[in-house]
Structures are given as structure tokens and as C-alpha cells.
Amino acid sequence: MWPLTPADTTREALVEVGVAEVLTAQLKRATDAERRHIILEVLGSLGESDVLKLQFVESGVPEALSEMIRGLQGGSDPHDLCSIKIASNLIVSLLLGDESMQKCFGEGTGVVYRDVLSWLQSSNTQLQLSGALAIANFARNDSNCVKMLELGVVPHILTLLEQHVDEGDVSVQHAGLSALRNLAIPASNKVRMLEDGVTERIRTLLRSDMPPVQFKLLGTLRMMVDGQEEAAALLGKDEVLLARIIEWCEARDHAGVRGEANRLLAALIRHSRAPEVINAVTKADGVRHLISMATSEHLIMQNEALVALAIASAIDIGEGFYYPLRAIRGKDKYILSYP
């Protein structure tokens, strides 16, 4: 156990004296920007403590911050906009604690959760960003994900993403896709999201030339087709999508994008098991990327590639697929070979 630093000791002492209640009361009475900023800075510093995070939530700090944001929205005063930024960031930070997050969520009826939904529809980019990040934090367990889908959060995220497709804010796109990816983890949510046309709407982001957005988009699509045969078959036959995936498989300047593109390519074959998808991947010159992936230093990627190649080799699509498979090698031997 590391010894406590002076800052940690101070925070522990403040827990005992109920500092959260005092700061909440002061925040509600703060009428000028300078006083507001001081209180927000103190809350931000103390909120780094997991113990104080929970005490803040139990004392109503997030609700007080949300109320303050509601009162400041719509204006253009730089000081007010700064307060909105600090306060919304602080709420997102408080949601990093599992217990504090659940209390704020309140089974989808919490004041903070309802306000976060309104942020997604705000014209303030900072609130849009904080809203998307907050949804991603709320979506850290399956029950919350299912509940949020029932309450209709996905259309708000999709509309937000579409607003930022062309010359939009990269951070908002990244956060929105993170939220969608987390929401798509439960199997029941995948089906519902596919029925709601999520994959069609987020494919507009294929135009993005920003690696962080590309990375999250690929990961989100891969999560959407996981275990979903129909979705994988549909996307795997899309020539435009495949061409973009192949392009990103060759992203030399961003290993993350390159890795996610390869994994999505393999996932389309693994989950669809469709001759049409294998034909499309072969036609798009994707087999060579699966071969390269099979010799990756990452075991997960090796396995995913080998499973995809094994599925493809077992389906009769003509002779064109077999020649490349002979080229798959380990360090000193063939991983797969065919007569």
C-alpha cells in the first residue's frame, strides 16, 4: 500500500466534515461568475477522490451542477460558457465511479440522466460532447444499456453524429461512437439497434479522414455484427464499405485503425459465413490482409484471421481463393496450407 500524500490525507479529512453539503449549498447561492468558478475548481479537485465522488453524488452535487447549467444555457457570456464547460466535465468525471454513476442514472429517471439527454440536443458543442461521454459512462453495464435503449437514447446520438459528419467536431464524433459501441454490447440491444437502422446511419461517417473517428467507427461496426449473421452479410456485400475497410487496412500512420479494419474484415466473414461476402472480400482484394493478419503478433488477431480464412476455404467459391492461402506462413512454417 502506497502512503497517503498530503492531498489524499486532506481529502479523507474533508469526507469526515461533510464538505460536499457545504459546497453544494455555496454553489446554489453563487450568483457571480468569479465565485462560481472558485467553487467549481474546488469541486473538481476534490472530485478526484473516489470516496468524495460518492459523497458528492449523495449530497446532490450533480443535480446542483445540472441546475446551474440549465440556468446558464442559451447565453453567450464567456464566463457563463466557461462555467458550463467546467460543470459538465465535472459531472462526466463523477460518473466514472460505479456507485455514483448508478445513483445518477436512477433507472433512467434521474435528473442528471434526463439533463444529459437534453445536452445531446443542445447547440452548445461542449454540452454535446459531455452528453455523449456521460451516456458512454452510463452504458457500463448491460441493464443500463437495455434501459437506455428502451428510453430512446440511440436516435439522439445518431442525430448528433450526423450533425458533425462534415467539418464537425472530432471529439463529439468520437464520444458519440463510444456511446453507441457500449450500448451495442448486450445481444438484445444489437438486434434492436440493427432494426432501428443504426448501421445505415453511422456509415455516413465513412467519409471521415480523422483516425480517432475511423478507429471508433470500425470498432462500433464490429460490435454491431458480432453474432449477427444478417447484419454481417449485409455489410459484407457493401462494395463502398469494403473499399473503405480495405483502404484503412493499409493505414500506415495509425496502427489502431489498421488493426480494427482487419478485425472488421475478418468479422464480416466469421459472422456471416456467406459465400457472397467471401466473394466480395476476395474481389476487393481483402484476402491478402487476412493473410497478413494471421501472422500478427497479437494472438486474438491471429485467431480471428485464421477462423475467417478457414470458413472461407470451406465454402466453394471457385479456385481464386486457394492460391493466397498457401502463402500464409508462421515464422518458420505454414500456418495453413492446401494441396
Side-chain angles (χ1 to χ4, degrees):
M1 177 72 70
W2 291 100
L4 292 174
T5 66
D8 293 327
T9 304
T10 301
R11 291 189 182 106
E12 285 200 345
L14 289 171
V15 171
E16 302 298 326
V17 299
V19 67
E21 291 86 350
V22 175
L23 290 172
T24 302
Q26 290 295 321
L27 183 64
K28 290 180 177 179
R29 290 200 294 266
T31 55
D32 61 281
E34 184 176 355
R35 184 179 179 185
R36 211 164 49 222
H37 286 177
I38 292 172
I39 297 170
L40 289 172
E41 286 180 6
V42 173
L43 286 170
S45 176
L46 296 177
E48 295 174 3
S49 162
D50 289 338
V51 176
L52 279 171
K53 272 188 177 69
L54 184 57
Q55 189 185 94
F56 280 2
V57 171
E58 292 175 338
S59 302
V61 171
E63 288 81 2
L65 292 169
S66 288
E67 182 181 349
M68 186 199 77
I69 290 171
R70 287 197 302 272
L72 297 177
Q73 280 190 78
S76 58
D77 182 272
H79 297 293
D80 291 347
L81 294 176
C82 182
S83 293
I84 288 174
K85 179 177 181 179
I86 296 171
S88 61
N89 282 341
L90 180 53
I91 288 176
V92 172
S93 176
L94 292 175
L95 297 179
L96 293 175
D98 289 338
E99 287 187 77
S100 55
M101 178 269 289
Q102 282 301 117
K103 288 182 179 294
C104 287
F105 185 60
E107 297 299 319
T109 63
V111 172
V112 176
Y113 176 70
R114 294 200 303 269
D115 281 348
V116 162
L117 284 182
S118 73
W119 297 354
L120 296 176
Q121 304 163 67
S122 170
S123 59
N124 184 309
T125 302
Q126 175 59 45
L127 282 180
Q128 293 175 353
L129 172 60
S130 294
L133 291 172
I135 294 297
N137 282 340
F138 282 128
R140 291 208 308 272
N141 64 55
D142 285 2
S143 62
N144 285 4
C145 290
V146 171
K147 187 65 176 181
M148 282 191 283
L149 212 69
E150 292 174 353
L151 294 172
V153 69
V154 170
H156 296 307
I157 299 173
L158 293 172
T159 299
L160 178 62
L161 286 170
E162 288 169 348
Q163 291 175 11
H164 290 270
V165 170
D166 297 311
E167 299 181 2
D169 189 283
V170 174
S171 297
V172 173
Q173 294 178 59
H174 191 273
L177 286 168
S178 295
L180 281 181
R181 185 188 182 283
N182 286 0
L183 288 166
I185 291 175
S188 61
N189 276 14
K190 286 184 177 63
V191 175
R192 173 76 177 274
M193 291 169 75
L194 289 168
E195 290 173 348
D196 290 344
V198 171
T199 52
E200 287 81 1
R201 291 183 67 179
I202 64 173
R203 278 163 56 197
T204 58
L205 292 173
L206 288 171
R207 300 200 300 266
S208 176
D209 59 357
M210 303 302 295
V213 176
Q214 296 167 357
F215 177 77
K216 278 297 178 182
L217 175 61
L218 289 163
T220 302
L221 289 172
R222 183 165 58 82
M223 183 60 66
M224 292 295 299
V225 303
D226 184 26
Q228 302 300 314
E229 181 179 339
E230 185 177 344
L234 181 65
L235 293 182
K237 293 181 288 186
D238 187 318
E239 293 182 1
V240 175
L241 174 62
L242 280 177
R244 196 65 162 138
I245 294 173
I246 297 302
E247 180 182 338
W248 288 338
C249 281
E250 300 171 350
R252 296 181 179 179
D253 297 330
H254 200 289
V257 170
R258 188 170 63 249
E260 279 293 345
N262 277 282
R263 295 188 71 188
L264 177 56
L265 194 64
L268 294 174
I269 292 176
R270 287 168 48 231
H271 296 296
S272 71
R273 297 175 176 265
E276 297 86 356
V277 172
I278 298 166
N279 267 316
V281 170
T282 303
K283 182 179 178 181
D285 198 22
V287 175
R288 62 189 177 92
H289 293 295
L290 294 176
I291 293 171
S292 177
M293 181 181 172
T295 60
S296 167
E297 61 184 11
H298 302 291
L299 290 178
I300 292 178
M301 292 184 67
Q302 282 185 26
N303 290 337
E304 290 174 353
L306 290 172
V307 170
L309 289 167
I311 290 170
S313 68
I315 296 175
D316 182 14
I317 62 170
E319 294 298 320
F321 196 84
Y322 291 88
Y323 173 75
L325 287 182
R326 296 192 190 100
I328 302 176
R329 292 179 177 272
K331 291 183 179 179
D332 55 5
K333 62 181 179 181
Y334 287 110
I335 295 175
L336 292 177
S337 62
Y338 290 90

